[in-house]
Amino acid sequence: MAVKTNYEKGKYKYYRVTATIGTTPDGKPIKKEFYGKSQKEAQQKKDSYLSELNKGLALDHDKMTLGDLMRIWLFEYVKPSKAPNTLARYTLVYNNYVKPTELNSKRLCDVKFLYLQQYYNKLFAEGKRSSQIYNLNKVLRTFFNFCIVNNYIIQNPTFKIIIPKEELVENEDKGIDIFTDEEIKAITDNAKGYMYCLFKLALATGMRKGELLGLELGAIDLDAAEITVKQSLKTVNIYDDANTSRSEAQIGTTKNKKTRTVPIPQALLPDLKKHIANQKELFLKHGLVYSDTDFLFTTAGCQFINSRNLQRAWERTLKRADVRYRKFHNVRHTYASKLLANGVDIKTISTLLGHSNINITADTYIHVVSETKADAASKLNYLFAKNQ
């Protein structure tokens, strides 16, 4: 029995039904057409669409693709309402995981939980880390919440997602990877330019990379041998659109948004004074006056140091020193570990590091704390030695 159709396009035949889904501002009806291989199929599509409208969804909810709406969300909503670094993080996710993939052209109404789960599993199988997939899901969750508020979907498909995770390696050493005394000497001997003083100051104070780059001359009290750590410099990407960005330095608060005072070891003061004198000469060379509001560490052109430039300088220094690569942040770990190993209490170290609470410090340096406790206990062995 032949299937009845009422619409023909090219060599294909369909059944078409229409529905009035609203009116224009001047009162004219807005009609929408639904097609199927049979009257039943076309009618089912119509009924499903009208049911979704009755739930409050937007008229064009079935046409908007994830990529199109996400791009609108990024530059019409996120950009004017969020910090530039937030837009940069979200745009990076869009450029890496949405724009070049099938997600970009996927209709928003077709992105269900199972589809996303399969996509995440595929990314994991291709070598993406759990943390990368977690961050992707976090951004998409925020985006889908926006879609719900604006009546494009009813449910957020990210909430039931299971993030694929790497297998835990038994007996894996979770200790922090600090620099040895020999490595510290090799790095110091091979550090050039601003990196020489910056490395020694990082090792002597435990300051974070951004805190060092944002350190102003006026925050250093040479007479009292202390530094007031009150701000941090970071480089963010400012996006004009998804394809165009520029780097910009921004001064913000410290990580825990608090000011702290850190002592400077007396042995470091001569190096610090020499660096400050060199900075004054450098500014004078460019016709500038070195003042309290200028950074302690700058480029040869008296400009702020981009975090990427610091990273490259750090890599070159380690290579010259023939020291195995570790992140610059590991200098901070080395500072804390050395203090612990030399008997400084965990509360004092937590304050010096600028941790928001002592538990962060204890959890981070648990191996060093355990070793220090064991060493302290061993000093009591003589009390229990048998009389000879």
Side-chain angles (χ1 to χ4, degrees):
M1 180 178 174
V3 178
K4 295 177 68 175
T5 59
N6 65 358
Y7 178 78
E8 186 173 339
K9 186 175 182 180
K11 62 179 181 178
Y12 298 102
K13 295 181 179 181
Y14 302 94
Y15 199 94
R16 177 175 62 181
V17 296
T18 60
T20 300
I21 58 174
T23 57
T24 62
D26 57 2
K28 294 181 179 179
I30 300 173
K31 294 188 177 292
K32 183 175 177 63
E33 298 176 338
F34 303 88
Y35 300 89
K37 295 179 180 179
S38 65
Q39 181 180 5
K40 181 179 179 181
E41 182 179 316
Q43 189 63 43
Q44 285 176 339
K45 290 182 178 180
K46 172 184 172 181
D47 294 342
S48 175
Y49 179 84
L50 293 178
S51 175
E52 296 297 321
L53 285 191
N54 289 333
K55 294 175 183 176
L57 292 184
L59 294 179
D60 61 343
H61 75 273
D62 63 327
K63 286 188 170 61
M64 188 63 73
T65 65
L66 188 149
D68 285 341
L69 190 56
M70 192 169 189
R71 190 166 55 253
I72 293 171
W73 170 68
L74 285 171
F75 297 101
E76 300 299 334
Y77 175 75
V78 176
K79 185 175 182 179
S81 64
K82 304 292 182 182
N85 60 317
T86 300
L87 175 64
R89 286 191 294 107
Y90 288 4
T91 304
L92 191 63
V93 167
Y94 168 77
N95 284 335
N96 288 338
Y97 298 104
V98 176
K99 186 178 178 181
T101 72
E102 61 184 24
L103 266 182
N104 191 58
S105 58
K106 191 80 172 176
R107 289 195 313 166
L108 198 62
C109 59
D110 292 333
V111 181
K112 307 298 184 185
F113 153 74
L114 187 57
Y115 175 82
L116 276 184
Q117 185 69 68
Q118 291 172 335
Y119 177 55
Y120 291 174
N121 293 344
K122 179 183 176 183
L123 289 176
F124 187 72
E126 292 173 349
K128 298 299 181 184
R129 297 191 304 275
S130 295
S131 58
Q132 292 173 303
I133 299 172
Y134 172 83
N135 289 332
L136 164 63
N137 191 63
K138 190 175 180 180
V139 173
L140 286 181
R141 177 177 296 182
T142 304
F143 165 66
F144 284 127
N145 283 339
F146 166 84
C147 295
I148 291 173
V149 170
N150 288 277
N151 301 318
Y152 281 99
I153 56 175
I154 295 173
Q155 294 182 326
N156 193 319
T158 64
F159 282 111
K160 296 179 181 179
I161 288 291
I162 298 174
I163 305 298
K165 293 184 178 180
E166 294 89 355
E167 291 185 15
L168 292 176
V169 179
E170 290 189 18
N171 301 320
E172 182 180 10
D173 182 10
K174 296 182 179 179
I176 52 177
D177 194 359
I178 67 173
F179 292 95
T180 66
D181 291 350
E182 292 75 15
E183 289 176 323
I184 290 170
K185 184 179 185 309
I187 295 170
T188 304
D189 290 344
N190 286 276
K192 297 181 179 180
Y194 69 79
M195 184 57 77
Y196 177 80
C197 187
L198 189 146
F199 170 70
K200 295 185 78 171
L201 191 61
L203 186 65
T205 63
M207 291 172 64
R208 299 178 178 91
K209 178 169 63 176
E211 293 169 346
L212 288 163
L213 296 181
L215 180 61
E216 296 176 346
L217 177 63
I220 304 169
D221 188 336
L222 292 173
D223 294 329
E226 62 184 24
I227 294 173
T228 301
V229 185
K230 59 183 179 180
Q231 63 188 30
S232 180
L233 183 146
K234 59 184 175 182
T235 306
V236 298
N237 288 327
I238 305 298
Y239 279 85
D240 298 317
D241 55 53
N243 302 313
T244 308
S245 66
R246 63 187 186 280
S247 294
E248 184 176 294
Q250 292 188 347
I251 288 290
T253 62
T254 60
K255 190 171 183 180
N256 69 353
K257 297 180 173 56
K258 294 181 180 179
T259 297
R260 69 184 189 277
T261 301
V262 181
I264 308 169
Q266 289 291 328
L268 183 60
L269 289 177
D271 286 323
L272 195 52
K273 290 176 181 178
K274 182 179 179 181
H275 178 82
I276 292 172
N278 290 339
Q279 282 294 98
K280 289 180 179 179
E281 289 183 11
L282 180 65
F283 272 62
L284 185 61
K285 178 182 176 182
H286 287 81
L288 303 170
V289 176
Y290 192 51
S291 68
D292 283 353
T293 57
D294 288 310
F295 294 133
L296 179 66
F297 301 107
T298 67
T299 66
C302 303
Q303 301 297 315
F304 75 91
I305 296 172
N306 187 301
S307 59
R308 295 188 187 90
N309 290 337
L310 174 60
Q311 174 63 22
R312 287 191 282 268
W314 175 240
E315 291 173 358
R316 288 194 297 268
T317 302
L318 292 182
K319 189 174 182 179
R320 281 195 302 268
D322 195 24
V323 171
R324 175 173 56 84
Y325 176 80
R326 270 150 283 179
K327 293 180 179 179
F328 186 82
H329 193 76
N330 285 45
V331 179
R332 177 174 162 88
H333 290 323
T334 302
Y335 164 80
S337 299
K338 295 291 184 184
L339 290 181
L340 275 169
N342 283 279
V344 181
D345 65 274
I346 193 75
K347 187 176 186 304
T348 299
I349 293 172
S350 183
T351 301
L352 291 173
L353 290 173
H355 283 164
S356 56
N357 65 72
I358 195 172
N359 292 331
I360 296 175
T361 317
D363 289 344
T364 303
Y365 303 103
I366 187 170
H367 290 274
V368 185
V369 172
S370 299
E371 291 170 6
T372 304
K373 287 180 178 178
D375 182 60
S378 70
K379 297 183 186 304
L380 299 179
N381 283 333
Y382 78 94
L383 293 175
F384 308 101
K386 293 182 179 180
N387 293 328
Q388 299 297 326

